[in-house]
Amino acid sequence: MEFQSCVKIVTEWDIVAARQLGRNVSKELGFGTVDQARITTAISELARNIYLYTDKGQICIEKIFERGKSGLLIIAKDQGPGIADIRKVMEDGYTTSGGLGAGLPGVKRLVDQFDINSVVDEGTEIRAVKWLR
């Protein structure tokens, strides 16, 4: 781990701060504008979920280097209610907030690697990686 920075998600403004952090770090790594937009959109969705569904959480951004590749790791971690049925929330169109239901499946499509781990009554951690091409 060379670099990690986190934004606590408490207010809607924290979503904006997390997006900006992701954009800045992705730009530093050399991502083009299209991938910067994908990264900030993924961060926005993850941060929004923390804001809507939990009392306490954070978005962390980390530069990663593996086998000669550079990338960006997004970690969304909360101490919320957890997700009882991960398969259900990963279905396109599933929503509990009345939104479009793009949510987590949309995030998964925007990144190269996506992993979700959740324990009911303890919280959720999502790790998403976008590799520099």
Side-chain angles (χ1 to χ4, degrees):
M1 175 177 71
E2 179 179 296
F3 169 94
Q4 186 182 62
S5 188
C6 300
V7 176
K8 289 183 180 173
I9 306 299
V10 180
T11 71
E12 287 185 270
W13 287 108
D14 299 327
I15 298 169
V16 175
R19 282 177 56 94
Q20 191 60 47
L21 173 65
R23 182 175 301 282
N24 291 343
V25 175
S26 63
K27 196 173 187 178
E28 285 173 20
L29 279 167
F31 282 96
T33 55
V34 172
D35 278 339
Q36 287 176 38
R38 288 182 178 121
I39 289 165
T40 57
T41 301
I43 290 169
S44 184
E45 187 62 38
L46 293 169
R48 185 177 162 278
N49 284 350
I50 291 170
Y51 175 72
L52 288 176
Y53 302 117
T54 75
D55 293 329
K56 194 169 24 170
Q58 64 184 6
I59 297 286
C60 295
I61 307 296
E62 185 177 320
K63 293 179 183 178
I64 56 174
F65 306 95
E66 201 174 280
R67 294 186 209 115
K69 295 192 305 185
S70 300
L72 186 93
L73 169 63
I74 304 160
I75 304 166
K77 187 173 178 129
D78 68 63
Q79 294 79 48
I83 300 169
D85 190 346
I86 291 174
R87 282 205 329 246
K88 186 142 191 98
V89 300
M90 292 306 296
E91 291 175 6
D92 280 319
Y94 177 79
T95 180
T96 57
S97 65
L100 297 175
L104 296 179
V107 171
K108 185 176 182 179
R109 284 189 292 272
L110 291 168
V111 298
D112 300 314
Q113 291 170 230
F114 180 90
D115 183 55
I116 182 169
N117 186 1
S118 190
V119 177
V120 173
D121 296 328
E122 289 185 24
T124 301
E125 181 175 299
I126 296 170
R127 299 172 74 87
V129 175
K130 187 73 177 168
W131 292 108
L132 186 60
R133 300 188 200 305

